[in-house]
Amino acid sequence: MEIILAVIVGLLYASGIYLMLRRSLVKLVVGLVLLGNGVNLLIFLLGGLVRGKPPLIPDTATYLGQVYADPVPQALILTAIVISFGLQSFAIVLIKRTYVVVNTDDMDQIHSTEEDDDY
């Protein structure tokens, strides 16, 4: 199972970086979303996959007799999901505003220093 998830992480990274290298702002944000999901999945994999065991250890336990899930990566992922949702919402609003002002989402046309002055 971990091998399949590692391949999925690689695919998310590759597709996210590919989309971030495109000229469209929309593709840039979609690439950031894919890259963020790949990072979240990678952090989840680093915590270890344990099926059916809660991340709770009784107070009376003097040693860990069984394998338990690590709760720290899970908490980090929940925080990262909330932060990435806020970032995505803000980026979508900025893209919409940029499109309204410039009438394009092409990065080359947005960064152009040439002005069309019709005097």
Side-chain angles (χ1 to χ4, degrees):
M1 184 67 174
E2 291 176 351
I3 302 282
I4 294 170
L5 289 176
V7 170
I8 291 173
V9 167
L11 289 173
L12 286 172
Y13 269 59
S15 59
I17 290 173
Y18 176 77
L19 285 175
M20 288 174 61
L21 294 175
R22 302 291 96 198
R23 294 181 354 185
S24 173
L25 283 175
V26 176
K27 290 179 184 176
L28 175 72
V29 171
V30 172
L32 284 172
V33 169
L34 289 176
L35 197 64
N37 288 335
V39 169
N40 289 340
L41 191 58
L42 180 66
I43 293 171
F44 185 69
L45 279 174
L46 291 177
L49 296 177
V50 179
R51 188 173 188 173
K53 299 291 182 186
L56 303 172
I57 302 170
D59 291 336
T60 57
T62 56
Y63 66 94
L64 295 176
Q66 299 175 348
V67 178
Y68 289 96
D70 190 9
V72 175
Q74 296 172 12
L76 288 173
I77 291 170
L78 286 175
T79 305
I81 288 170
V82 171
I83 292 171
S84 67
F85 179 73
L87 178 69
Q88 292 165 22
S89 302
F90 183 68
I92 289 170
V93 170
L94 283 178
I95 287 173
K96 184 178 183 326
R97 180 66 182 148
T98 302
Y99 186 76
V100 167
V101 171
V102 184
N103 290 331
T104 185
D105 70 337
D106 190 5
M107 295 287 283
D108 289 340
Q109 292 177 0
I110 291 173
H111 290 300
S112 177
T113 58
E114 299 175 11
E115 295 181 13
D116 293 333
D117 293 330
D118 296 329
Y119 291 112

